[in-house]
Amino acid sequence: MSVEQQIRDYILENYLFTDDQSALENEDSFLEKGILDSTGILEVIYFIEEEMEIKVEDEEMIPDNLDSVNNIVAFIKRKTEAA
Amino acid sequence: MCGIAGIINLSDQDSIDQHLLKAMVSKLHHRGPDSQGFMINDYVGLGHARLSIIDVEGGDQPIHNEDKKIWVVFNGEIFNYVELTSQLKKLGHKFYTHTDTEVIVHLYEEYGDAFVNHLNGQFSIALWDDNNKRLLLTRDRPGIHPLFYSVVNNRLFFGSEIKAILRGIGKTPELNPVALDELMTFWSPTGSNTVFKGVDSLKPGHMLIIEQGGKIQCKAYWEWSYPVENNYRAGTEAELAEELKSLLIDATRIRLRSDVPVGAYLSGGLDSSALVSIIHNYTDVSLRTFSIAFEDDGLDESSFQKEMIEHVNADHSRVVCKNTDIADQFEKTIWHTESPILRTAPVPMGILSSLVNQSNYKVVLTGEGADEVLGGYDIFKETKIRQFWAKNPESVFRPLLLKRLYPYLNMGQGKAPAYIRNFFGNSIEQPQINGFSHMPRWDTTSRCKDFFSNDMKNKLLNDVMSEFEFSLPASLQQWNYFNKAQYIEAKTLMSGYLLSSQGDRMLMMNSVEGRFPFLDHRVIEFGNSLDPRLKMKVLNEKYLLKRAVKNDVPSSIINRFKQPYRAPDIPGFFTEKPLDYVEDMLSESALRESGYFDEKKVGLLVKKIKRGLAMGYKDNMALVGILSTQLWHKQFITDFKQNIMHD
């Protein structure tokens, strides 16, 4: 399964409580749409660390990296390419 | 269920006194009100108080084998007795009853001490082998049924409850201070300790063998065990969810075997809802359910119970626990727990089993065990978050995930991080230590011990946390941190408190048997073999169980916020004028008489409570712990003669 699909499934199942793929666009802002609160972002970081085996530093915990499916996918790509 | 008691001579001496054995069994009347039975010879006396559930007419115990050389008294149920009976008959064994009990003697003939590995059930067993003059005592794997023993003057006394043993010994007991220290750290004594000095609890999954000549040997036949990290059960999520569901259906099905009707507890949480749905969807048993509600809205789950009752169309009964019920029932509760407790949560469970008894039911299925086996507890979430934090102990953001678990941490700006760091930061630099998961809880609970008297403190020379850490098996080092937390939870709080003070004792006080499908050893062993990420996906607890029952349980129950079961603590005792016994037990004179607690400190705690200022966990646990210890002392030590020796 692609990274994008893993992130999408996790958000849909755990925060939108649905398997309807149309409920989430990849560019949707988690905070603006009320999908996640600030603590929810930490859960998503937990998920990324557990599944992708990367470590997110404090200074990387910013919306540009984590506030949408697209942002997360791009962030993980940068991290894994840099590793 | 039932109750068992007995005596064995460890050396040549007077034969067993039949009247003494009967007096011991009479202390267990509430466990088995239907009949009593005895077997006495020159070496041993076995006694039994029966609650008739299977083969009501023909099942009186003790039960023997074909030549009356093997005898057994037994408390519990062997759920696979139908299959075992069939296998044993094929091997030539002759049965004279239709009971589950009888399979024990024939299995022993066939397999010796390994007979216990063939049992799927919950049990405490005393088996006398007259050929070899040996007594074998054993308990079920997770510790659902209790069994205690004590050696005094070359005699071993045993019983389902300690009060039977005390009656046998006939001597006023003393407190075991180390066990109280452990209880006020881990919520229960560890290992074989009990709060009664000289009385041991046979550890779950263990067997005590008393040979001719008095040699005593204790050995484990089963243990909680987890795979080496990353060596988990193979299969896709869908396959494993299906496997879990099949196991749960079978574990439930065989637990419905009974010659009397079987009901079920329904809390409104996922576990009991899953069980009730399985009964509804996969068996032909008509559903009879029971639940407890609270007048305190913060503790009540009635709306979820109602939803499930409608979903499965159950014939349901409910009892409301009022705050004043806690104080009214507390003395009786401690008589049955035979141990101090730190929260009042057992009390409503006793009220609930009373409802079952009044409804003419003797047996209920309950969801206990799912949180331990399949990863449901907040302490596991807390452990995951602290491990997440431990990856970067200096992180400002990582510890803030604890707010997800504990919303009260959303306190004033700037205050929360310092509080979190101080409270949950214990051992954050050492995430690899075995007790990492439970350190914050043990630290909080240990604050109860601030109230110990100097005399008590002087008796406690060792640090129980270090000793417990030291006692853990070496194999833990190879397990994932989540499994270590599960192991510690199963070995401390579950067997020592949840299944005893809050489980067996609260059921049996009203002659009701609880049955626990999630503690079927096949379910436990399956759960233990899973990748921990399937038990808790990030912070989504019991993930695989939710997946297994998603087509059976309403989604509103599956997705609901998990509410820990709790009962009113301080409000249960101090909403109105405290009852006389509460004032008496916390008085300076009573505290001085027992000598366990510092009367000045306790006086200040009571003053704080009366001013309405005691709100935190520490104050609640301290009050309940002190009051229950004082009641325990009065009932079992001060009033020993009238409560224990009076038949």
Side-chain angles (χ1 to χ4, degrees), chain B residues 111-156:
Chain B
Y111 303 109
D113 295 354
F115 82 94
V116 72
N117 298 320
H118 296 258
L119 304 177
N120 182 331
Q122 52 190 56
F123 47 82
S124 58
I125 293 171
L127 181 145
W128 172 249
D129 175 350
D130 200 53
N131 293 316
N132 297 297
K133 304 288 184 279
R134 72 200 291 258
L135 178 71
L136 191 151
L137 304 176
T138 191
R139 264 182 98 187
D140 62 69
R141 297 167 179 90
I144 295 167
H145 288 280
L147 189 54
F148 302 95
Y149 62 98
S150 182
V151 176
V152 177
N153 295 333
N154 271 323
R155 278 189 162 166
L156 184 142

Side-chain angles (χ1 to χ4, degrees), chain B residues 258-296:
Chain B
S258 167
D259 292 336
V260 297
V262 178
Y265 279 173
L266 180 58
S267 71
L270 174 68
D271 313 331
S272 61
S273 299
L275 281 189
V276 162
S277 298
I278 285 172
I279 297 171
H280 178 65
N281 292 344
Y282 305 103
T283 77
D284 54 7
V285 170
S286 59
L287 265 170
R288 181 75 172 89
T289 51
F290 303 90
S291 68
I292 188 115
F294 292 94
E295 65 177 3
D296 180 340

Side-chain angles (χ1 to χ4, degrees), chain B residues 40-77:
Chain B
I40 296 184
N41 62 31
D42 289 344
Y43 304 91
V44 71
L46 306 179
H48 185 255
R50 185 175 186 217
L51 181 68
S52 314
I53 289 171
I54 292 175
D55 193 0
V56 175
E57 296 301 319
D60 283 349
Q61 296 186 30
I63 293 274
H64 53 77
N65 70 334
E66 294 90 337
D67 62 1
K68 299 192 177 178
K69 289 291 189 183
I70 314 291
W71 291 79
V72 71
V73 285
F74 141 75
N75 163 207
E77 303 293 339

Side-chain angles (χ1 to χ4, degrees), chain B residues 151-219:
Chain B
V151 176
V152 177
N153 295 333
N154 271 323
R155 278 189 162 166
L156 184 142
F157 297 84
F158 66 87
S160 297
E161 295 189 15
I162 294 172
K163 46 182 76 76
I165 294 174
L166 298 180
R167 179 65 187 85
I169 296 170
K171 188 168 161 251
T172 308
E174 291 177 48
L175 174 78
N176 175 358
V178 173
L180 187 64
D181 190 1
E182 291 177 336
L183 189 147
M184 292 197 166
T185 307
F186 311 114
W187 286 52
S188 81
T190 64
S192 58
N193 278 348
T194 75
V195 288
F196 293 85
K197 189 181 274 182
V199 179
D200 283 343
S201 169
L202 180 57
K203 290 190 274 190
H206 278 65
M207 187 176 275
L208 193 77
I209 299 163
I210 301 104
E211 306 277 3
Q212 194 171 13
K215 184 184 159 206
I216 300 175
Q217 181 196 358
C218 187
K219 61 182 184 185

Side-chain angles (χ1 to χ4, degrees), chain B residues 471-632:
Chain B
S471 73
L472 293 168
S475 50
L476 257 77
Q477 293 294 347
Q478 299 178 299
W479 300 347
N480 178 274
Y481 67 83
F482 194 89
N483 291 337
K484 288 182 193 176
Q486 284 186 288
Y487 177 86
I488 291 172
E489 190 69 4
K491 299 293 275 193
T492 55
L493 198 125
M494 188 188 83
S495 60
Y497 168 75
L498 278 176
L499 294 178
S500 56
S501 291
Q502 197 172 303
D504 171 85
R505 304 316 186 81
M506 293 302 100
L507 289 153
M508 276 284 97
M509 71 189 278
N510 290 306
S511 310
V512 175
E513 173 177 288
R515 296 180 175 185
F516 308 80
F518 288 104
L519 291 175
D520 184 308
H521 70 277
R522 297 169 302 169
V523 177
I524 296 176
E525 287 165 3
F526 174 84
N528 290 0
S529 70
L530 292 170
D531 184 337
R533 289 180 298 181
L534 288 177
K535 292 184 243 193
M536 188 173 282
K537 193 159 222 178
V538 185
L539 298 182
N540 187 0
E541 76 279 357
K542 287 178 288 198
Y543 173 77
L544 198 72
L545 175 62
K546 288 176 180 173
R547 191 158 175 166
V549 298
K550 71 177 181 184
N551 294 327
D552 299 295
V553 177
S555 59
S556 53
I557 301 280
I558 287 184
N559 295 325
R560 64 167 287 199
F561 183 74
K562 179 176 165 57
Q563 180 170 328
Y565 165 68
R566 282 183 48 215
D569 290 316
I570 286 176
F573 297 100
F574 286 92
T575 40
E576 296 165 16
K577 186 181 180 306
L579 297 179
D580 287 345
Y581 84 83
V582 178
E583 298 275 21
D584 287 349
M585 289 295 100
L586 300 177
S587 69
E588 273 192 44
S589 58
L591 290 160
R592 262 199 302 274
E593 196 246 308
S594 63
Y596 310 138
F597 301 104
D598 181 315
E599 60 263 27
K600 286 200 178 117
K601 283 188 179 176
V602 176
L604 288 171
L605 173 66
V606 172
K607 200 170 159 189
K608 183 179 174 186
I609 291 168
K610 287 182 174 172
R611 288 165 62 205
L613 299 174
M615 302 289 287
Y617 287 117
K618 178 193 164 188
D619 292 339
N620 274 280
M621 281 197 285
L623 184 274
V624 177
I626 293 164
L627 182 60
S628 59
T629 306
Q630 289 290 100
L631 279 170
W632 173 87

